Amino acid sequence: MIAVRHLTKQYPTHLAVDDVSFEVGARETLVLLGTSGSGKTTTLKMINRLIEPTSGVIEVNGVAIGERKLHELRREIGYVIQETGLFPHYTIGENIALVPRLLQWDERKIQDRIRELMAMLRLPETFLKAYPSQLSGGQRQRVGLARALAAQPSILLMDEPLGALDPVTRSAIRREFRNLEEIRQKTIVLVTHDIREAFELGDRVALMDGGRIQQIGTPRELLLRPVNEFVRKFFADQWLSLQLHAFSLQDLSPYLPDEATSPPEARLFPAHTQLADVMSELSGPNSIVFQSNHRFITVQSATIWPALGQLLQNQSVS
Amino acid sequence: MQEFFEFVVEHADKLAEQTLTHIGLTFLSLCIALIIGIPLGVLITFRPRIVGVVLGSVGVLQTIPSIALLGFMIPLLGIGPGPAIVALFLYALLPIVQNTYVGIREVSPALKEAARGMGLTPWQVLMRLEFPLALPVIFAGIRTATVINVGVATLAAYLAAGGLGEFIFGGIALNNTNMILAGTIPSALLAILLDAGLARLQKLRGLGRYRVMAVFFLLVPVLSSFYLVPGAGRPTLRAGFAHEFYGRADGYPALLRTYNLHLASRLIDQNLMYEAVRTDLVDIISGYSTDGRIKAFNLRTLTDDKHAFPPYEAALVVRQNTLKQHPELQPTLDLLAGQLSDSSMTELNYQVDHLHQSPAAVARQFLTSAGLLRKPDGQKRQGKIVIGAMIFTEQYILAEIVRQLVENRTALEVITKTGLGGTKICFDALIAGDLDLYPEYTGTGLLVILQPPLVVSDTLQVSTKAVYQYVSQEFDRKYQLSWLKPLGFNNTYALMMREAQAEQLGIRTNSELKQYLDR
């Protein structure tokens, strides 16, 4: 879907992006992770040509973006930014309808689409006539997403989309995003400085520093097989809790006893659930069950840590 | 207060007309400033390199004192509504250009980027995002420009463009407080009303705001057209009257009384009046019969066949104290008696007004040719007297003649105070002792200062000599001021027209003018 090759952006005073290359496949989410000044946002903005590169090539669906008409290219790519960038003088409805109207969609189709998005993002229809300033930060963020999705782009670019929200709202919306079918269908490039966000949302993560990609790979690869000292140190602080994002229940199955039948009254979870998402269910004596190879496996807080310890030992050996 | 309301009621027609003209001038110039200023402000947001130059230039225009800016218009564009509107437009430009630029620039960069990122073209970003969000700031600029223009538009009267300034200038010239207030209060009210109205508009929220602002933009051209209203359905001849003429009992009111001659008039600075008739801005003016420009501009003086205007024999009015203090003064000044005929005064005025010689040089030539100057004896200066002169050419020349003559023949030092606003100002200064003498006209002394009952002035007016005798007696008795012997010429009011037009319409006298208008 998106191919970036030898991308460089040289500003008069500094080199912002230095020979960056990556590819993003269809329906994949790539997170550009890094501290401020690492070049991640500059890289993102070059994809929809808000910034023109000094050298290098970007292809979207096999066509170099330099050959596309600027506004046509952008209308095909959803764009979500921090603080959402909603027009303060447009109602919520008008904001969401912005790109479809630019594309001259049929008005009835636009209205249907708005209602569909509002329902999907759990926004009450009474908001349609409200102005952005009347909504809470989390609600605005959802409207921002709805606006980016409105014209059904196949690609979404997101620049710190949750940056303006408090931690609790952040993780709630993150979970919502992840579970939306429509978002799972998109090819997404997301910029963030939040490591947990990167691990939760990214299929792959590109860790950037000084304008270069230090390492690109799945969260697990970055965590367990850092290519250099920078990458190792970057995750060192949260190493333990990040494990919980890097592994799912399925990964633990070899290290836990299984049974042929489900224990009575057990709560069943899908096997691909990230460990981080089940931790809150395991406080005290509670236990949960998941299914693997037609066998049922019970997990408790007392058993999860030893199992994880064995898993990590094996990972570092292999 | 009572008098003020009487004045307003009496001049209600004229006041309504001036107010309409004033609104028209304000909004016509504002309209042009909007048409040029807003696109200019938008343009410079796209071209950061010329921001400094553009804002600098319109800023410099703003620093020019308004009266000076209007003054510059006369040599550049002449007089009339055109130049006045140009000057007002230049004045309104800065707040509009600046606020458009600032308003658009201050729209959050994140919003602009979001808009571009979603695929809005630069034009769409401007029209859908930047312009609507900048509108309150732009409106603040329009509000400032409007209030400035209401104020500056009072000066348009100086360029013969009409407006409430007519009464303000007129009131100043006549030292008539009621007349000044009649111009000032409506223009102040207009400024306050527009300011408050636009302020409310600016504070409106939501969608309603855009609708109301759109209405405002449509309203501006409508209000502009007010300028044309007072001109509609007018008689074919337009008059331009000097403020003094309009306000003085022996001027326009006398014309009304004697001939019942109603003219649609614009009040014009008396120095620009001749220019106005020459350039077809008006057809009839209230001139002075000895003005040099009658000759220069080929004007016809209409005969005052029913003696509406009293005689205006020029003579020097002197404080009796001064004459006692400097006994040599009276015989010296009496040398001028009868030396200046109507035609010779016209000629002197012509030399200054049209040939642009200095009053001093013209006065010197006159005194030399009349043989009134002696060889200077180089004696030391002792004592001094102050001569006043009103603000028109003839008075400057007369003051110079007196100064040169007195300094030549006596040891007195002579100080001239020229450019005084009018008779009332000179007379008050004379009573207060700030002046020792000034050239005055018998008719003015009679009607402006003495103001005898109508019966008395009507009987006197027929005879030049009777008027002179009456004023010199009364001034002596009431004010201890002496009228010296008349200088010889009679500088009375007269209606004047362009020679060609007067010829074509067959108008030679005021009665014929009246007949023409009534036809």
Side-chain angles (χ1 to χ4, degrees):
Chain A
M1 286 295 279
I2 303 172
V4 173
R5 283 194 280 277
H6 305 296
L7 197 62
T8 299
K9 180 64 190 180
Q10 172 77 59
Y11 283 115
T13 48
H14 66 286
L15 187 61
V17 174
D18 185 8
D19 193 23
V20 163
S21 300
F22 60 81
E23 290 196 5
V24 190
R27 287 193 292 283
E28 188 188 17
T29 298
L30 176 75
V31 176
L32 299 174
L33 176 66
T35 51
S36 38
S38 59
K40 57 190 193 304
T41 299
T42 310
T43 305
L44 184 81
K45 286 180 181 173
M46 284 193 279
I47 298 175
N48 65 356
R49 291 182 63 192
L50 284 172
I51 296 174
E52 293 292 340
T54 309
S55 67
V57 179
I58 300 174
E59 283 176 9
V60 169
N61 294 329
V63 182
I65 57 170
E67 290 163 17
R68 301 287 312 276
K69 267 194 184 151
L70 208 53
H71 58 273
E72 282 177 9
L73 172 78
R74 288 171 178 165
R75 286 170 194 179
E76 286 171 19
I77 301 177
Y79 186 51
V80 185
I81 62 166
Q82 191 177 352
E83 307 280 4
T84 74
L86 295 179
F87 287 10
H89 58 303
Y90 278 25
T91 61
I92 301 306
E94 289 168 337
N95 264 293
I96 296 174
L98 191 64
V99 181
R101 289 214 171 111
L102 291 180
L103 294 170
Q104 293 170 331
W105 280 19
D106 180 60
E107 191 58 34
R108 168 174 272 155
K109 191 177 161 196
I110 293 176
Q111 292 307 324
D112 290 347
R113 179 66 179 150
I114 292 172
R115 277 165 221 288
E116 184 185 1
L117 285 163
M118 298 282 282
M120 187 174 94
L121 292 164
R122 297 193 295 109
L123 292 161
E125 288 211 355
T126 48
F127 281 9
L128 278 177
K129 294 255 181 298
Y131 286 89
S133 58
Q134 296 167 292
L135 271 57
S136 73
Q139 290 164 338
R140 277 206 292 271
Q141 206 57 56
R142 287 195 225 124
V143 175
L145 186 67
R147 185 174 66 173
L149 292 172
Q152 294 168 324
S154 55
I155 297 172
L156 270 188
L157 302 181
M158 307 174 109
D159 186 3
E160 302 269 6
L162 308 176
L165 303 177
D166 63 89
V168 177
T169 316
R170 269 178 98 119
S171 62
I173 292 190
R174 226 153 44 204
R175 200 157 301 155
E176 248 173 65
F177 280 15
R178 242 178 23 205
N179 293 327
L180 284 175
E181 186 53 33
E182 184 162 339
I183 290 191
R184 288 214 211 115
Q185 299 300 317
K186 304 292 179 199
T187 302
I188 298 174
V189 180
L190 182 145
V191 161
T192 185
H193 63 266
D194 184 325
I195 300 171
R196 285 179 50 136
E197 195 166 299
F199 273 54
E200 255 183 69
L201 298 177
D203 295 320
R204 284 191 302 148
V205 174
L207 177 62
M208 291 189 71
D209 186 59
R212 291 181 147 270
I213 291 183
Q214 300 297 325
Q215 187 173 355
I216 183 166
T218 61
R220 196 178 299 182
E221 281 166 358
L222 261 67
L223 201 60
L224 301 178
R225 278 184 287 280
V227 294
N228 59 28
E229 195 57 14
F230 175 83
V231 178
R232 194 187 67 75
K233 277 193 173 155
F234 196 83
F235 299 114
D237 281 356
Q238 304 180 45
W239 197 79
L240 201 58
S241 66
L242 288 174
Q243 305 295 341
L244 301 176
H245 290 287
F247 295 105
S248 63
L249 289 171
Q250 177 71 51
D251 297 319
L252 288 181
S253 58
Y255 311 101
L256 290 167
D258 53 9
E259 302 163 51
T261 54
S262 172
E265 292 174 34
R267 285 189 293 157
L268 194 66
F269 275 67
H272 62 78
T273 311
Q274 283 188 359
L275 296 184
D277 292 336
V278 300
M279 285 314 281
S280 58
E281 309 293 335
L282 294 175
S283 58
N286 296 345
S287 63
I288 60 148
V289 171
F290 69 94
Q291 212 181 2
S292 175
N293 296 324
H294 309 292
R295 315 259 323 155
F296 292 92
I297 301 171
T298 306
V299 188
Q300 291 176 319
S301 59
T303 57
I304 194 170
W305 295 110
L308 187 59
Q310 284 179 356
L311 169 67
L312 292 179
Q313 208 167 22
N314 280 359
Q315 288 281 346
S316 48
V317 169
S318 61
Chain B
M1 214 54 201
Q2 184 70 29
E3 286 172 45
F4 169 69
F5 286 118
E6 274 168 19
F7 183 91
V8 169
V9 171
E10 195 182 328
H11 296 84
D13 281 358
K14 183 87 185 136
L15 204 56
E17 174 189 312
Q18 286 178 351
T19 309
L20 285 180
T21 310
H22 202 89
I23 294 172
L25 279 173
T26 304
F27 281 92
L28 201 53
S29 53
L30 187 71
C31 192
I32 302 170
L34 290 177
I35 291 169
I36 293 179
I38 292 179
L40 191 60
V42 170
L43 178 77
I44 58 179
T45 60
F46 285 101
R47 299 267 179 281
R49 252 186 243 161
I50 58 167
V51 170
V53 180
V54 171
L55 287 183
S57 333
V58 294
V60 162
L61 288 173
Q62 198 77 5
T63 63
I64 302 173
S66 38
I67 186 88
L69 187 63
L70 284 151
F72 283 134
M73 287 299 144
I74 298 175
L76 290 177
L77 300 170
I79 58 177
I85 286 163
V86 170
L88 286 172
F89 149 72
L90 291 175
Y91 245 66
L93 213 46
L94 176 69
I96 291 174
V97 174
Q98 185 166 283
N99 283 40
T100 306
Y101 171 69
V102 170
I104 288 179
R105 210 193 42 180
E106 284 188 351
V107 172
S108 140
L111 271 179
K112 292 185 201 179
E113 197 180 83
R116 286 196 293 137
M118 284 186 300
L120 273 73
T121 60
W123 177 250
Q124 287 169 334
V125 173
L126 177 69
M127 294 314 287
R128 293 179 188 218
L129 180 72
E130 294 176 320
F131 199 72
L133 288 184
L135 212 49
V137 183
I138 296 175
F139 246 79
I142 295 173
R143 184 178 153 201
T144 311
T146 311
V147 174
I148 289 177
N149 268 12
V150 170
V152 179
T154 54
L155 297 175
Y158 179 68
L159 293 185
L164 289 162
E166 289 191 340
F167 272 166
I168 298 177
F169 280 110
I172 292 170
L174 297 170
N175 200 13
N176 180 339
T177 317
N178 293 326
M179 198 169 182
I180 298 176
L181 286 176
T184 310
I185 292 174
S187 99
L189 280 178
L190 204 57
I192 292 168
L193 279 176
L194 287 171
D195 187 52
L198 288 171
R200 289 198 62 154
L201 236 173
Q202 206 183 323
K203 287 188 189 108
L204 281 177
R205 304 221 116 257
L207 265 184
R209 175 167 75 192
Y210 300 110
R211 293 214 189 98
V212 178
M213 284 180 181
V215 169
F216 174 82
F217 281 118
L218 293 176
L219 213 60
V220 170
V222 175
L223 289 169
S224 304
S225 65
F226 277 22
Y227 190 78
L228 302 172
V229 172
R234 271 292 163 75
T236 43
L237 294 178
R238 299 150 299 165
F241 292 151
H243 306 111
E244 238 192 359
F245 177 80
Y246 182 79
R248 271 169 52 162
D250 56 338
Y252 187 52
L255 204 61
L256 277 177
R257 208 168 54 233
T258 317
Y259 296 94
N260 194 24
L261 189 58
H262 287 274
L263 285 162
S265 61
R266 174 152 287 172
L267 302 190
I268 305 184
D269 184 272
Q270 59 185 1
N271 291 311
L272 296 172
M273 193 164 60
Y274 297 91
E275 184 66 20
V277 70
R278 187 177 74 92
T279 54
D280 278 13
L281 198 64
V282 296
D283 304 306
I284 303 164
I285 60 166
S286 58
Y288 293 97
S289 54
T290 56
D291 199 285
R293 285 163 291 198
I294 298 168
K295 181 176 168 190
F297 296 164
N298 194 20
L299 303 179
R300 174 180 289 185
T301 306
L302 303 187
T303 312
D304 180 19
D305 51 335
K306 287 190 190 165
H307 302 287
F309 306 127
Y312 288 85
E313 275 196 301
L316 298 170
V317 180
V318 196
R319 283 165 61 83
Q320 290 175 354
N321 271 347
T322 310
L323 291 177
K324 269 183 218 131
Q325 246 172 356
H326 309 290
E328 72 277 28
L329 196 57
Q330 176 141 22
T332 309
L333 294 174
D334 278 344
L335 291 171
L336 291 171
Q339 290 284 354
L340 285 158
S341 67
D342 280 7
S343 61
S344 56
M345 193 65 233
T346 307
E347 178 63 29
L348 296 185
N349 285 331
Y350 173 74
Q351 284 172 10
V352 173
D353 277 335
H354 203 69
L355 305 180
H356 300 295
Q357 298 185 29
S358 73
V362 171
R364 180 151 209 92
Q365 259 170 28
F366 163 75
L367 287 169
T368 312
S369 63
L372 291 172
L373 292 185
R374 294 194 302 211
K375 267 220 173 77
D377 50 10
Q379 57 181 309
K380 240 183 132 205
R381 294 282 171 214
Q382 266 184 339
K384 66 169 187 187
I385 59 164
V386 184
I387 302 177
M390 285 177 256
I391 186 163
F392 53 93
T393 307
E394 185 168 286
Q395 290 264 324
Y396 285 100
I397 298 171
L398 291 176
E400 263 311 312
I401 290 174
V402 174
R403 185 183 71 81
Q404 290 180 21
L405 183 72
V406 172
E407 289 200 336
N408 177 268
R409 288 181 165 255
T410 73
L412 290 168
E413 186 191 345
V414 181
I415 292 165
T416 51
K417 283 196 178 166
T418 54
L420 301 175
T423 282
K424 197 78 172 82
I425 290 169
C426 287
F427 177 78
D428 289 344
L430 201 62
I431 295 289
D434 294 334
L435 293 179
D436 292 300
L437 68 113
Y438 76 96
E440 186 52 280
Y441 306 87
T442 52
T444 316
L446 178 73
L447 294 164
V448 179
I449 308 292
L450 297 174
Q451 300 183 350
L454 218 56
V455 197
V456 179
S457 55
D458 276 355
T459 49
L460 287 171
Q461 266 178 42
V462 190
S463 156
T464 312
K465 236 187 200 118
V467 174
Y468 175 80
Q469 255 160 16
Y470 182 80
V471 293
S472 62
Q473 253 173 40
E474 291 295 302
F475 268 59
D476 183 42
R477 192 169 64 82
K478 284 189 179 162
Y479 310 116
Q480 287 77 54
L481 297 175
S482 287
W483 282 77
L484 300 187
K485 287 178 191 132
L487 298 170
F489 64 93
N490 180 12
N491 183 6
T492 187
Y493 282 130
L495 295 185
M496 295 169 190
M497 300 177 69
R498 286 180 299 281
E499 179 66 39
Q501 191 185 31
E503 184 60 41
Q504 189 200 337
L505 303 177
I507 299 171
R508 279 177 318 253
T509 66
N510 292 352
S511 300
E512 284 171 359
L513 175 63
K514 168 73 179 160
Q515 278 163 19
Y516 173 78
L517 291 173
D518 288 348
R519 105 207 107 94

